[in-house]
């Protein structure tokens, strides 16, 4: 029984030391799990904050979904508009297209996949981010946009 209890205590101690060590490394690098998030480019609805264009936390920037709600209504034009909006928001947050780690693409119609890719390719530098592409049901992308994208980047 004593041997079993010692074994459990040793494992517990090792876990605590491991977590403490990770926290010490994070703090040494200026990363704190207790840091406040920083919201930017806030959109209000009825004078109440609704959502941010971007949020910064622990050296990462999260960009809200961007869509295109204007003529011409074709996938290539809308993809171009959306990518430019992502880039503007990244710059406002202090990042860039080359620092993007993850992109999520929402297509109103899977038939637009090829056209979207034609405009998308090469926009994130020589080391492109990972990407998920989701075709939503017709009308699933808000407003009149044929495509919406959000992303996560580092500062």
């Amino acid at each position: 029984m004593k041997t079993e209890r010692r074994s459990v205590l040793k494992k517990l101690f090792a876990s605590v030391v491991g977590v403490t060590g990770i926290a010490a490394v994070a703090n040494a690098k200026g990363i704190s799990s207790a840091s406040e998030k920083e919201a930017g480019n806030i959109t209000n609805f009825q004078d109440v904050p609704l959502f941010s264009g971007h949020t910064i936390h622990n050296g990462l920037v999260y960009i809200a979904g961007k869509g295109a709600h204007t003529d011409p209504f074709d996938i290539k034009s809308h993809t171009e508009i959306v990518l430019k909006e992502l880039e503007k928001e990244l710059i406002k947050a202090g990042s860039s297209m080359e620092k993007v780690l993850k992109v999520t693409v929402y297509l109103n119609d899977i038939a637009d996949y090829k056209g979207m890719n034609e405009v998308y390719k090469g926009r994130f530098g020589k080391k492109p981010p990972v990407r998920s592409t989701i075709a939503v049901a017709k009308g699933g992308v808000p407003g009149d946009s044929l495509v919406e994208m959000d992303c996560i980047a580092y500062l």
Side-chain angles (χ1 to χ4, degrees):
M1 185 72 164
K2 285 184 181 183
T3 306
E4 194 174 302
R5 187 178 288 162
R6 276 190 202 139
S7 176
V8 169
L9 287 173
K10 282 182 183 180
K11 286 179 185 177
L12 178 62
F13 180 73
S15 294
V16 170
V17 169
V19 170
T20 304
I22 290 169
V25 169
N27 286 334
K29 291 184 176 184
I31 300 170
S32 171
S33 61
S35 67
E36 291 287 321
K37 74 178 179 182
E38 182 181 320
N41 200 15
I42 298 172
T43 297
N44 290 303
F45 178 71
Q46 298 176 343
D47 296 327
V48 177
L50 185 60
F51 64 89
S52 301
H54 67 268
T55 302
I56 298 170
H57 189 261
N58 285 340
L60 294 176
V61 58
Y62 302 83
I63 304 295
K66 303 293 180 189
H69 308 281
T70 186
D71 283 329
F73 287 96
D74 65 83
I75 192 60
K76 290 182 180 180
S77 297
H78 275 204
T79 301
E80 183 69 33
I81 292 166
V82 167
L83 288 168
K84 285 181 178 178
E85 290 300 312
L86 277 180
E87 185 170 30
K88 283 184 204 174
E89 196 69 41
L90 285 161
I91 290 168
K92 284 179 190 175
S95 190
S96 69
M97 296 290 268
E98 291 77 19
K99 294 180 178 181
V100 173
L101 301 168
K102 168 85 169 96
V103 176
T104 305
V105 178
Y106 303 92
L107 291 173
N108 206 43
D109 188 340
I110 194 63
D112 289 333
Y113 184 76
K114 183 178 177 186
M116 179 274 300
N117 271 334
E118 288 177 26
V119 177
Y120 181 97
K121 67 182 178 186
R123 297 303 283 267
F124 295 91
K126 293 182 181 185
K127 297 179 182 177
V130 298
R131 184 180 92 185
S132 298
T133 303
I134 302 159
V136 296
K138 286 271 188 198
V141 174
D144 297 328
S145 189
L146 300 176
V147 61
E148 182 172 318
M149 294 183 202
D150 60 37
C151 67
I152 301 169
Y154 63 93
L155 296 175

